[in-house]
Amino acid sequence: MDMTSEELKSWFENVHITLETAYLSHTEPWRQSGMSGPQDRWTTLRKPVADCIEHDGSFLDIGCANGYLLECCRRWTEERSIHVTPYGVDMSQALVELAQSRLPQYRENFFVANAFGWVPPLRFDYVRTELVYVPAEYERAYVTFLLENALKKGGRLLVANYTEDLPNPEVGILPGSHPTRRILERLTELGFDTNEYMDGYDAIRDRKVRIAILAA
Ligand SMILES: C[S@@+](CC[C@H](N)C(=O)[O-])C[C@H]1O[C@@H](n2cnc3c(N)ncnc32)[C@H](O)[C@@H]1O
């Protein structure tokens, strides 16, 4: 059942305040992006996002936090001679300001907005998101909204699941988000089928990520 507009507003406010407070209490760039680190774990678990990028183009990171993923993705794709123009959006103005100082030459490419309802001023070749950015019952509407409003024709929506294969995916996500254990199965349930994905695996903590790739 849908939430009332007041319930929805307070759900997003809780996400905003909780994540912004947590991320800003740290100084390491990966922690300011919500990952406990250290750097080599960050690389193992986030480089698969860059590996989904197959050609030059624009890349919007939804929930860009301090911009560290965008900075790293540019570096990781450059290693394959692929040039990415970074764009970011986040609900948190304070985190967007950090992202702008991390990538000052692209400061105009950052936006403060709730991605669920924000129509970007341009369309992108690649857009990364997570389903947990909206309450469980809005995931289908959210993915549809992004496919219709954020991507160029032939663009790719990268749907990251950072709780892939966890026995208890509800641990570590905020109340009201859907605890997704298998991103491909969840997307199928929502009506979006794909067999394309990239995986990352961190043996130290036995953590896996899967980035599902949907064609617009
Ligand atoms: C885990 S961090 C992601 C950092 C980085 N993009 C990555 O993938 O590692 C999640 C970020 O998403 C932002 N966020 C969550 N829901 C959002 C929404 N509906 N619209 C915009 N930003 C959102 C939060 O403020 C937070 O900075």
Side-chain angles (χ1 to χ4, degrees):
M1 208 178 66
D2 282 357
M3 294 175 166
T4 64
S5 61
E6 276 310 302
E7 286 167 338
L8 199 52
K9 191 168 166 236
S10 87
W11 190 89
F12 284 116
E13 264 167 23
N14 180 51
V15 173
H16 175 177
I17 300 296
T18 306
L19 299 186
E20 181 183 271
T21 308
Y23 297 3
L24 292 178
S25 69
H26 297 289
T27 51
E28 300 98 321
W30 45 86
R31 283 181 179 253
Q32 288 180 346
S33 269
M35 215 281 237
S36 59
Q39 180 138 32
D40 52 352
R41 280 190 77 235
W42 164 267
T43 302
T44 307
L45 295 173
R46 292 294 179 275
K47 196 158 181 268
V49 174
D51 293 339
C52 296
I53 298 177
E54 295 179 327
H55 57 78
D56 292 2
S58 51
F59 172 41
L60 173 70
D61 186 20
I62 297 183
C64 65
N66 70 340
Y68 191 52
L69 182 68
L70 282 167
E71 184 185 29
C72 292
C73 280
R74 268 171 60 73
R75 197 170 61 242
W76 292 327
T77 52
E78 288 293 346
E79 290 167 4
R80 292 184 285 125
S81 304
I82 292 173
H83 181 72
V84 157
T85 307
Y87 291 81
V89 60
D90 203 286
M91 296 164 108
S92 161
Q93 173 151 4
L95 288 168
V96 164
E97 283 168 10
L98 284 181
Q100 287 175 314
S101 39
R102 179 168 293 286
L103 293 160
Q105 68 277 41
Y106 296 107
R107 56 178 305 111
E108 305 303 323
N109 292 5
F110 288 93
F111 305 89
V112 180
N114 180 342
F116 189 29
W118 174 69
V119 178
L122 69 163
R123 287 167 179 262
F124 306 92
D125 296 290
Y126 296 95
V127 174
R128 188 216 68 99
T129 191
E130 294 161 62
L131 295 178
V132 290
Y133 292 170
V134 295
E137 58 270 46
Y138 291 90
E139 287 184 349
R140 177 179 295 125
Y142 178 55
V143 173
T144 303
F145 180 82
L146 295 179
L147 290 169
E148 288 178 356
N149 292 285
L151 281 150
K152 287 183 185 171
K153 197 164 183 288
R156 294 282 188 270
L157 182 63
L158 315 180
V159 188
N161 186 28
Y162 297 155
T163 57
E164 189 75 11
D165 270 350
L166 279 186
N168 307 104
E170 62 280 3
V171 177
I173 61 166
L174 294 174
S177 300
H178 181 81
T180 293
R181 206 166 157 213
R182 305 243 157 77
I183 187 65
L184 297 185
E185 285 173 19
R186 179 60 180 162
L187 286 170
T188 299
E189 257 173 48
L190 297 173
F192 308 99
D193 276 317
T194 181
N195 293 320
E196 273 190 85
Y197 59 87
M198 285 285 170
D199 283 344
Y201 179 64
D202 162 39
I204 297 167
R205 297 227 193 131
D206 191 24
R207 288 294 295 263
K208 185 168 166 184
V209 303
R210 176 162 287 185
I211 325 293
I213 305 171
L214 293 179

